[in-house]
Amino acid sequence: MTDFNVVAAGDRAIPAQPFVARHLIDGEWRTSADGATFERVSPSHGSVVTLASKGGSEDVERAVSAARSTFDKGTWSSTSGKERATLLLRVADLIDRERDRIALMETLESGKPISQAKSEIEGAADLWRYAASLARTMHGESHNSLGSDMLGLVLREPVGVAAIITPWNFPFLIVSQKLPFALAAGCTAVIKPSEMTPATTVILGELIVEAGVPAGVVNIVLGHGDPVGMAMTADPRVDMVTFTGSTGVGKAIVTAAAGTLKKVSLELGGKNPQVIFPDADLQDALDAVVFGVYFNAGECCNSGSRIIVHEDIADEFVARTVDLSRRVPFGDPLDPATKVGAIITPEHHAKIDRHVRDAAAGGADIRLGGSGLPVPGLNGQFYQPTVVANVSGNMSIAREEVFGPVLSVLTFNTLDEAIALVNDAEYGLSAGVWSDNVHTCLEFARRAHAGTVWTNTWMDGFAEMPFGGVKESGQGRELGRYGLEEFLEAKTVAMRIGRTRAPWIEPQTA
Ligand code: NDP
């Protein structure tokens, strides 16, 4: 009997030909100026699923020029909120229409389960609809109490050209957390998806063109961080960078953007704790812990990768976590029953394994998993659901993003101890607490250093609620009204009414 619930390869065929992805520049689909291309090999099936143009500095130059001149002409920024909202809603409808096609490419490139990919595409369409509502309701301020001879206005204006740089773990969802908000604000954009997952951003580009968004408003350049992302970040014609990815690259972007003092918005990593008190509904908590750590194979900034369990219940809770982990369906991402798919690259697979080996060498206890997971019939890389107990707060597995299906278990006795463990981290993205006592939950919510706190739940997100991190988890917010604010500048207009201004220098009298 296998220790795990492995979903073997089914008979679902992958497309015979790879998806061909090109840059979208000024409304046209283009190959790279130097003709370079690259391939994406599916992490679950081991075959080439995408053939993409590989951008260089000339392609970035053309895309930024298009975004800049389109913005400066006012082609998009001077349209009414009603017009922008109409187009954003049209894109949302097209995303719904193409849901299955987008989800298939998302799964083939990222290795995530097809059922999850479909939900993410539905969630993305909802973000386009929400952003449309912001395009129509966005407004500034008026100040009518500055004195009888003054009226003050605060206008909200688009920042300008936004560079959007996205990672491989939620390619379609993350671009949809940024782009529709940028468009609602009136910005133009140049997007660079991760070179591991270019296809679905290209499909989004097709839908944007079909919806009738004017040429030059949305531009896409495919390729690597070096040189594409770096050139976008340094270009003086780009007004802001919005980035999701690793904290290391986030810091490099801040440094590069400093040369032209761009606005920078960053969604970075997390080492997100769930604290479990004995009075919680332990069945609910258990399910959320397993969901929190294995969702997207743990390749998730919000991964609940460490739990902090009260000592009175720790042994039983860990034993039940191990049992439930064995039941999670891991394997063929194209099977609708699968909950956890493949790991993004062989290199990342090796990095996950290194974290687990180092923890074991440092005295931690591998209660479950701890190595690769062969999936019959597939030629990709998968990792076993892994539970590591006896972890102390100073071990790297308790502090660093493993970005894999690996749970670290720590324990506590008092609320103060739990909060100290939660806050003893470089990251501050999200945190959770499980208790039936509302006072415990509220005190935890107030004291945890995190951009989001969940009480008796995990990873619920809403278009209306802002998302982002504190400390090294980032700066700025996505979603909600705050998500729109990132793409807006405030312009103050002070208007004198009548000729009441006292002269600074008295005029000469004749
Ligand atoms: P990166 O942070 O390296 O990449 C994210 C995006 O930034 C990609 O499009 C990448 O391009 C681009 N990029 C890379 N370097 C630069 C640069 N100097 N200037 C501008 N853009 C750049 O993430 P990885 O994909 O390499 O993942 C590494 C680790 O990051 C993971 O193991 C995980 O810990 C963390 N991560 C966190 C995410 C989150 O949601 N918080 C998401 C993804 C990763 P390209 O890769 O195509 O070269």
Side-chain angles (χ1 to χ4, degrees):
M1 190 189 95
T2 168
D3 253 0
F4 301 104
N5 184 359
V6 178
V7 183
D11 53 5
R12 292 157 200 87
I14 67 171
Q17 297 300 323
F19 180 91
V20 176
R22 288 170 296 163
H23 314 298
L24 175 61
I25 299 175
D26 210 6
E28 287 180 15
W29 293 102
R30 298 196 189 183
T31 53
S32 299
D34 62 4
T37 57
F38 64 97
E39 293 176 340
R40 173 62 180 151
V41 172
S42 162
S44 50
H45 290 72
S47 44
V48 175
V49 289
T50 303
L51 178 63
S53 295
K54 183 177 177 184
S57 49
E58 208 176 322
D59 306 298
V60 176
E61 158 63 32
R62 287 178 183 167
V64 173
S65 294
R68 182 78 258 164
S69 65
T70 306
F71 183 80
D72 291 344
K73 277 187 269 177
T75 313
W76 182 251
S77 58
S78 63
T79 54
S80 67
K82 179 179 167 184
E83 285 171 82
R84 282 183 224 157
T86 303
L87 287 174
L88 296 182
L89 291 171
R90 207 173 286 158
V91 174
D93 290 344
L94 294 173
I95 292 171
D96 283 342
R97 189 192 74 191
E98 295 298 309
R99 184 192 70 155
D100 290 354
R101 183 164 79 102
I102 304 170
L104 177 63
M105 282 318 298
E106 195 87 330
T107 289
L108 291 176
E109 284 189 341
S110 72
K112 70 175 65 204
I114 190 78
S115 54
Q116 181 193 319
K118 286 181 185 171
S119 310
E120 285 171 21
I121 311 309
E122 282 163 17
D126 181 52
L127 296 179
W128 283 81
R129 295 198 170 93
Y130 175 70
S133 75
L134 295 178
R136 289 202 76 161
T137 53
M138 168 170 67
H139 56 80
E141 297 168 16
S142 63
H143 292 259
N144 199 28
S145 52
L146 304 175
S148 60
D149 56 349
M150 290 300 295
L151 178 66
L153 300 176
V154 181
L155 306 181
R156 307 314 311 272
E157 295 188 337
V159 169
V161 176
I164 298 180
I165 302 176
T166 56
W168 43 260
N169 52 349
F170 297 93
F172 199 83
L173 192 61
I174 289 177
V175 75
S176 299
Q177 289 183 190
K178 298 174 187 287
L179 182 60
F181 294 81
L183 296 179
C187 292
T188 59
V190 181
I191 307 165
K192 189 202 94 64
S194 164
E195 99 273 0
M196 279 170 271
T197 52
T200 57
T201 302
V202 168
I203 297 175
L204 180 63
E206 290 171 6
L207 303 182
I208 284 167
V209 171
E210 183 181 343
V213 175
V217 173
V218 176
N219 305 274
I220 301 169
V221 184
L222 310 174
H224 290 252
D226 179 7
V228 176
M230 287 168 86
M232 285 161 62
T233 308
D235 196 306
R237 296 165 300 170
V238 170
D239 299 292
M240 76 170 282
V241 183
T242 168
F243 167 80
T244 299
S246 61
T247 294
V249 172
K251 288 178 182 175
I253 284 177
V254 170
T255 306
T260 47
L261 280 184
K262 288 179 178 50
K263 186 171 181 179
V264 177
S265 169
L266 304 170
E267 296 299 337
L268 308 176
K271 190 73 197 174
N272 314 295
Q274 298 206 59
V275 174
I276 297 131
F277 282 84
D279 66 342
D281 181 323
L282 295 183
Q283 191 55 46
D284 265 9
L286 201 60
D287 188 73
V289 163
V290 169
F291 163 61
V293 69
Y294 302 130
F295 175 71
N296 214 51
E299 296 170 329
C300 179
C301 54
N302 260 332
S303 170
S305 53
R306 57 182 178 134
I307 56 170
I308 303 172
V309 192
H310 195 279
E311 282 180 6
D312 288 353
I313 55 165
D315 287 347
E316 188 203 336
F317 195 84
V318 173
R320 288 173 68 183
T321 302
V322 165
D323 283 349
L324 195 58
S325 298
R326 285 204 172 94
R327 292 182 38 214
V328 178
F330 271 67
D332 181 2
L334 289 176
D335 189 315
T338 298
K339 296 262 190 208
V340 185
I343 301 298
I344 192 79
T345 56
E347 295 73 25
H348 189 58
H349 192 271
K351 181 179 151 192
I352 295 169
D353 199 47
R354 238 180 353 259
H355 271 290
V356 177
R357 304 278 123 246
D358 288 352
D365 199 2
I366 315 290
R367 295 283 172 87
L368 181 73
S371 62
L373 180 75
V375 173
L378 289 181
N379 183 26
Q381 60 279 339
F382 297 80
Y383 203 83
Q384 293 175 345
T386 297
V387 178
V388 186
N390 282 340
V391 171
S392 59
N394 56 1
M395 289 181 177
S396 68
I397 202 163
R399 310 192 71 82
E400 292 173 19
E401 252 193 330
V402 175
F403 236 58
V406 178
L407 181 68
S408 296
V409 183
L410 296 91
T411 56
F412 75 100
N413 251 316
T414 65
L415 176 66
D416 283 348
E417 269 174 42
I419 294 280
L421 282 167
V422 165
N423 291 342
D424 178 23
E426 285 74 33
Y427 293 114
L429 191 60
S430 54
V433 61
W434 291 84
S435 167
D436 259 4
N437 184 330
V438 70
H439 304 288
T440 305
C441 292
L442 194 50
E443 185 169 352
F444 180 90
R446 287 183 162 153
R447 291 174 63 189
H449 300 159
T452 296
V453 173
W454 285 292
T455 78
N456 295 313
T457 186
W458 187 256
M459 234 186 311
D460 288 307
F462 302 90
E464 293 83 352
M465 303 265 279
F467 174 67
V470 299
K471 302 202 279 188
E472 295 203 6
S473 289
Q475 56 194 37
R477 290 292 179 270
E478 292 184 343
L479 311 181
R481 298 203 71 85
Y482 295 85
L484 181 74
E485 295 286 325
E486 294 291 330
F487 297 98
L488 293 172
E489 294 280 14
K491 179 182 276 176
T492 297
V493 180
M495 302 174 71
R496 186 169 292 281
I497 301 157
R499 301 202 170 277
T500 57
R501 182 175 173 275
W504 193 48
I505 307 291
E506 288 297 332
Q508 272 186 333
T509 47

